[in-house]
């Protein structure tokens, strides 16, 4: 529906850098968004306007490739394993594609 700003409940895709849905549009995503992606339900995003989970992350472009799916560049938040050092894209991180007990470094902004 292109509602801006989203008031009330916001559904944010954890895999896609620029998918935000209002509560009314969640059921109407057929052909627009992958239904198997995890969605974060944010009851009121007003207090979190600076959070990387509530902004369009498509401008966060990291030149490195994901060590799991080989996506390059990584668009959105980049994660780095603190133990064995592979770089992960959001989809692989949130999809549990790397050892879950390894700590991660979260890199929101690409290196300058």
């Amino acid at each position: 529906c292109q509602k801006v700003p989203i008031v009330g409940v916001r559904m944010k895709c954890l895999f896609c850098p620029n998918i935000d849905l209002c509560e009314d549009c969640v059921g109407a995503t057929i052909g627009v968004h992958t239904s198997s992606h995890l969605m974060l339900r944010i009851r009121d995003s007003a207090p979190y306007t600076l959070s990387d989970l509530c902004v369009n992350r498509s401008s966060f472009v990291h030149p490195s490739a994901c060590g799991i799916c080989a996506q390059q560049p990584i668009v959105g938040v980049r994660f780095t394993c603190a133990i064995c050092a592979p770089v992960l894209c959001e989809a692989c991180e949130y999809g549990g594609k790397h050892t879950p007990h390894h700590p991660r470094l979260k890199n929101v902004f690409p290196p300058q």
Side-chain angles (χ1 to χ4, degrees):
C1 68
Q2 306 299 320
K3 188 185 297 181
V4 176
I6 295 175
V7 177
V9 175
R10 167 192 298 249
M11 300 299 287
K12 180 76 175 173
C13 180
L14 291 177
F15 293 178
C16 302
N18 191 24
I19 296 292
D20 288 284
L21 303 170
C22 69
E23 193 168 32
D24 297 335
C25 292
V26 171
T29 60
I30 298 168
V32 175
H33 186 254
T34 305
S35 63
S36 63
H37 284 183
L38 295 173
M39 300 292 281
L40 177 65
R41 182 181 188 273
I42 303 168
R43 186 169 30 115
D44 179 8
S45 58
Y48 310 105
T49 56
L50 297 178
S51 169
D52 62 274
L53 289 174
C54 293
V55 299
N56 179 345
R57 299 181 312 276
S58 61
S59 64
F60 304 166
V61 180
H62 303 268
S64 49
C66 177
I68 305 294
C69 71
Q71 174 186 324
Q72 186 176 17
I74 294 174
V75 178
V77 178
R78 182 188 79 182
F79 296 85
T80 305
C81 177
I83 303 294
C84 55
V87 173
L88 304 164
C89 67
E90 288 180 284
C92 290
E93 170 63 19
Y94 295 135
K97 306 254 172 124
H98 184 63
T99 309
H101 63 274
H102 284 186
R104 312 285 203 282
L105 299 173
K106 180 179 180 180
N107 308 104
V108 176
F109 300 106
Q112 298 295 331

